[in-house]
Amino acid sequence: MAGSKCTRLSGALIQQLLDGVDSVLFDCDGVIWRGDQAVPGAPEVVNLLKEHGKRVFFVTNNSSKTRRMYADKMARMGFKVTPDEIFGTAYCSAMYLKKVAGLKGKVYLVGSDALRQELEAVGIQATGVGPDHVSGSQCDWAHVPLDPEVKAVLVGFDEHFSYMKLNRAMQYLTDPGCLFVGTNTDTRLPLEGGKAVPGTGCLVRAVEIAAHRQAEKVGKPNHFMYDCVASQFGLDRTRCLMVGDRLDTDILLGSNCGLKTLLALTGVNKVADAEAHERSGCPDRKKMVPDYYVESIADLLPALQG
Amino acid sequence: MAGSKCTRLSGALIQQLLDGVDSVLFDCDGVIWRGDQAVPGAPEVVNLLKEHGKRVFFVTNNSSKTRRMYADKMARMGFKVTPDEIFGTAYCSAMYLKKVAGLKGKVYLVGSDALRQELEAVGIQATGVGPDHVSGSQCDWAHVPLDPEVKAVLVGFDEHFSYMKLNRAMQYLTDPGCLFVGTNTDTRLPLEGGKAVPGTGCLVRAVEIAAHRQAEKVGKPNHFMYDCVASQFGLDRTRCLMVGDRLDTDILLGSNCGLKTLLALTGVNKVADAEAHERSGCPDRKKMVPDYYVESIADLLPALQG
């Protein structure tokens, strides 16, 4: 039913949708918070969903915080959540390397200390965190000392990204047996007031180009993020709702996994973006059209309070 | 005549080819030198070509040296050349910004001090050379102080490439009036013994992804490198020979500009690579098939000495 896509969610339709779902997966930035401010009404919506017996999860491509750091941030904003409900790419990358890739060895990590902590929490040692400034000549760079125990390169958000890190990652990846994983491919990290800074996707792509290899991507829209939640909590995909502000990550993840999808207009994309995908006639683009949209997830409040 | 492509150049064919050309454009690394060693016989070939009245030029995508630095390096190896015969992307990017783009303002330069010197030599001021380590928070990065006189971002080889440089380039490029130029797109810098380090292409692509814009590329295979030589020396393209070791830069430049092309097997590509392009039937790939090939440009010596 083409006419049923991208429907504004309001009135009785809200209750009808909620009756059909047991679990709600929320993207974070642009949906439940913006920067350091909760989206008004978002904590109430999340807390009421839980009171109504729904399971609630948080699925974010940001790799710069541990589950514990996210739980603390959300508690300060008034969300009643526990760390095991939070699935960031730091945690999910650790799970991917351990459970899916079966890594036996260390990780050369282009990423944050939070990412290192999540790896360590599942028993994976990581090297590489922090500054790595260039020294010596080209010949020294090509012969940079490598740790023989490193069996994977993981690229996440890294404010200390440098030519030397790019080089070290490339040298490790000349071994075809070395795994290559990227946390996500977001090109920018949006901030308040329309500003942004470069995202992890720039770093992953730079390493891919140097290494002449493609990284496995853990983050949305890759289905692994959903699989990670589903395998731990036994989700029924037909009774899950994915809520996000981005069509190319959140909504596409939902489509890729057969979930119901809801676009919140508090972040990156607008209804016109979804309509353009719908009109394109392109099957790949149509996967980015949400089932529903709301101005803000606060629009769910009346149904939950009623 | 499909059968006439990728012919081994030997015997009488060498003299026939040389009779048909007034000017020879050489790529450098992998053709006339490898690392710090001249390809055996290359200085004699170059010097004899000039004695025979041919004009000889050197066209390299490497942006890390000035024309003067190249001339000194080549003199040490026994080549009789002058700086004005050398067209590296450092010099050519300066010419591009000044002559083609008509830049009025400063450049934010992700690149070497040599590149800065070539810009300065044509009267363009550049800022940004050297280390730029990260400090502060995301919000500080998004509001990093920008020089209002900067009207172009130029990305070349930069061993000090860092997240902060990526961010600064992106912030400048949010102004659609800011020009965006990359010296070249080579993904790796090949070194002796099959080793390599990341090339400028990784850095250009990272900035393109962050900026959501495409850079103008100065280096081979863009025709600008040839135009730069041709406009200064009044070349007749039908009487020019382009000699290189890479199909996707050197030979493609030659094809793009209507020059005769010669692949030297002392560098990156092999005859099988050219044959695969020929067999592909793809018009774009067929442009990377050279007219001729030699094991080494030293193969031209007998004809020049005879």
Side-chain angles (χ1 to χ4, degrees):
Chain A
M1 293 195 296
S4 74
K5 294 288 278 186
C6 207
T7 303
R8 188 191 182 106
L9 193 62
S10 62
L13 202 53
I14 299 178
Q15 195 57 57
Q16 199 179 313
L17 173 63
L18 291 176
D19 288 345
V21 304
D22 300 325
S23 301
V24 184
L25 283 72
F26 286 101
D27 173 47
C28 296
D29 201 21
V31 176
I32 63 167
W33 70 62
R34 283 181 295 203
D36 286 321
Q37 300 287 318
V39 166
E44 292 78 5
V45 167
V46 165
N47 299 343
L48 282 166
L49 281 169
K50 294 175 88 168
E51 283 178 30
H52 285 265
K54 308 296 182 192
R55 286 184 300 188
V56 175
F57 305 99
F58 304 90
V59 180
T60 171
N61 273 358
N62 192 313
S63 66
S64 63
K65 286 190 175 64
T66 62
R67 304 179 104 182
R68 167 59 59 193
M69 291 171 182
Y70 276 119
D72 291 347
K73 172 175 181 165
M74 292 172 78
R76 284 195 300 275
M77 292 176 172
F79 294 94
K80 292 176 185 157
V81 297
T82 57
D84 65 322
E85 292 167 327
I86 300 167
F87 292 78
T89 47
Y91 170 74
C92 289
S93 295
M95 293 305 287
Y96 180 87
L97 285 167
K98 191 180 171 76
K99 302 280 187 184
V100 179
L103 174 68
K104 305 267 182 274
K106 287 190 202 171
V107 167
Y108 175 64
L109 176 59
V110 178
S112 62
D113 192 65
L115 192 36
R116 188 194 60 72
Q117 289 175 42
E118 292 288 27
L119 291 168
E120 200 175 64
V122 301
I124 297 173
Q125 268 191 285
T127 172
V129 170
D132 187 0
H133 304 315
V134 77
S135 67
S137 69
Q138 286 174 3
C139 195
D140 301 317
W141 310 338
H143 294 91
V144 73
L146 301 180
D147 183 334
E149 290 178 52
V150 165
K151 303 295 178 196
V153 169
L154 172 60
V155 182
F157 185 79
D158 189 348
E159 65 202 59
H160 296 292
F161 187 74
S162 66
Y163 182 79
M164 208 55 189
K165 290 193 173 198
L166 174 61
N167 174 59
R168 222 178 277 265
M170 173 186 148
Q171 304 302 339
Y172 278 117
L173 289 167
T174 57
D175 172 3
C178 184
L179 299 169
F180 183 17
V181 176
T183 58
N184 63 296
T185 57
D186 299 59
T187 60
R188 289 183 174 184
L189 207 56
L191 303 175
E192 284 295 289
K195 302 291 276 186
V197 293
T200 308
C202 308
L203 316 186
V204 173
R205 196 75 196 104
V207 177
E208 287 185 329
I209 289 173
H212 296 182
R213 289 176 58 176
Q214 297 283 308
E216 295 293 325
K217 316 297 190 318
V218 166
K220 299 172 285 184
N222 189 315
H223 61 84
F224 178 74
M225 291 286 273
Y226 172 75
D227 298 345
C228 200
V229 187
S231 66
Q232 290 181 22
F233 289 88
L235 302 192
D236 171 0
R237 65 181 66 231
T238 67
R239 295 189 58 82
C240 281
L241 174 66
M242 174 72 213
V243 187
D245 70 315
R246 289 186 67 134
L247 302 174
D248 61 351
T249 52
D250 305 319
I251 302 306
L252 186 54
L253 173 77
S255 299
N256 284 341
C257 297
L259 319 180
K260 295 177 177 66
T261 53
L262 171 60
L263 177 70
L265 301 177
T266 39
V268 170
N269 284 121
K270 301 298 158 204
V271 172
D273 303 325
E275 287 170 346
H277 288 314
E278 179 67 34
R279 277 196 310 272
S280 73
C282 165
D284 280 346
R285 290 185 61 185
K286 288 177 98 163
K287 285 185 181 173
M288 294 190 273
V289 181
D291 296 316
Y292 307 99
Y293 72 91
V294 283
E295 289 297 324
S296 156
I297 62 162
D299 294 3
L300 306 183
L301 262 185
L304 291 165
Q305 289 167 329
Chain B
M1 292 196 296
S4 73
K5 294 288 278 186
C6 207
T7 303
R8 187 190 183 106
L9 193 62
S10 62
L13 202 53
I14 299 178
Q15 194 57 58
Q16 200 178 312
L17 174 62
L18 291 176
D19 288 346
V21 305
D22 300 326
S23 302
V24 184
L25 284 71
F26 286 101
D27 173 47
C28 296
D29 202 20
V31 176
I32 62 167
W33 69 63
R34 283 181 296 205
D36 286 321
Q37 300 286 318
V39 166
E44 293 78 4
V45 167
V46 165
N47 298 343
L48 280 166
L49 281 168
K50 294 175 87 167
E51 284 178 28
H52 284 266
K54 309 296 184 192
R55 285 185 300 188
V56 175
F57 303 100
F58 304 90
V59 180
T60 172
N61 272 0
N62 192 314
S63 66
S64 62
K65 287 189 175 65
T66 62
R67 305 179 103 180
R68 166 58 61 193
M69 291 172 183
Y70 276 119
D72 291 346
K73 171 176 181 164
M74 292 173 78
R76 285 194 300 273
M77 292 175 173
F79 294 94
K80 291 176 184 157
V81 297
T82 57
D84 66 323
E85 292 166 327
I86 300 166
F87 292 78
T89 47
Y91 170 74
C92 289
S93 295
M95 292 305 288
Y96 181 86
L97 285 167
K98 191 181 171 77
K99 301 280 186 183
V100 179
L103 173 68
K104 304 266 182 276
K106 288 189 201 171
V107 167
Y108 174 65
L109 176 59
V110 178
S112 62
D113 192 64
L115 192 37
R116 188 195 60 73
Q117 289 175 42
E118 291 287 28
L119 291 168
E120 199 175 65
V122 300
I124 297 173
Q125 268 192 286
T127 172
V129 170
D132 187 1
H133 304 315
V134 76
S135 66
S137 68
Q138 287 173 2
C139 195
D140 301 317
W141 312 338
H143 294 91
V144 72
L146 301 180
D147 182 335
E149 290 178 51
V150 165
K151 303 295 179 198
V153 169
L154 172 60
V155 182
F157 185 78
D158 189 349
E159 65 202 60
H160 297 292
F161 187 75
S162 65
Y163 182 78
M164 209 54 190
K165 289 193 174 197
L166 174 62
N167 175 60
R168 222 178 278 265
M170 172 187 149
Q171 304 302 338
Y172 278 117
L173 290 167
T174 56
D175 172 4
C178 183
L179 299 169
F180 183 17
V181 177
T183 58
N184 63 297
T185 57
D186 299 58
T187 60
R188 289 184 175 183
L189 207 55
L191 304 176
E192 285 295 290
K195 302 290 277 187
V197 294
T200 308
C202 308
L203 316 185
V204 172
R205 195 73 196 104
V207 177
E208 287 185 331
I209 289 174
H212 297 181
R213 289 176 58 176
Q214 298 282 309
E216 295 293 325
K217 317 297 189 318
V218 166
K220 300 172 286 184
N222 190 315
H223 60 85
F224 178 74
M225 291 286 275
Y226 171 76
D227 298 346
C228 200
V229 187
S231 66
Q232 292 182 21
F233 289 88
L235 303 192
D236 172 0
R237 64 182 65 232
T238 67
R239 295 189 57 83
C240 282
L241 174 66
M242 174 72 213
V243 188
D245 71 313
R246 287 187 68 133
L247 302 174
D248 61 350
T249 52
D250 305 319
I251 303 305
L252 187 55
L253 172 78
S255 299
N256 284 343
C257 297
L259 319 181
K260 294 176 178 67
T261 53
L262 171 60
L263 177 69
L265 301 176
T266 38
V268 170
N269 284 120
K270 301 298 160 206
V271 173
D273 302 326
E275 287 170 346
H277 288 315
E278 180 66 34
R279 277 196 310 273
S280 73
C282 165
D284 281 345
R285 289 185 62 185
K286 287 176 100 163
K287 285 185 181 175
M288 294 190 273
V289 181
D291 295 318
Y292 306 99
Y293 72 90
V294 284
E295 289 298 324
S296 158
I297 61 162
D299 295 3
L300 306 183
L301 261 185
L304 291 164
Q305 289 167 329

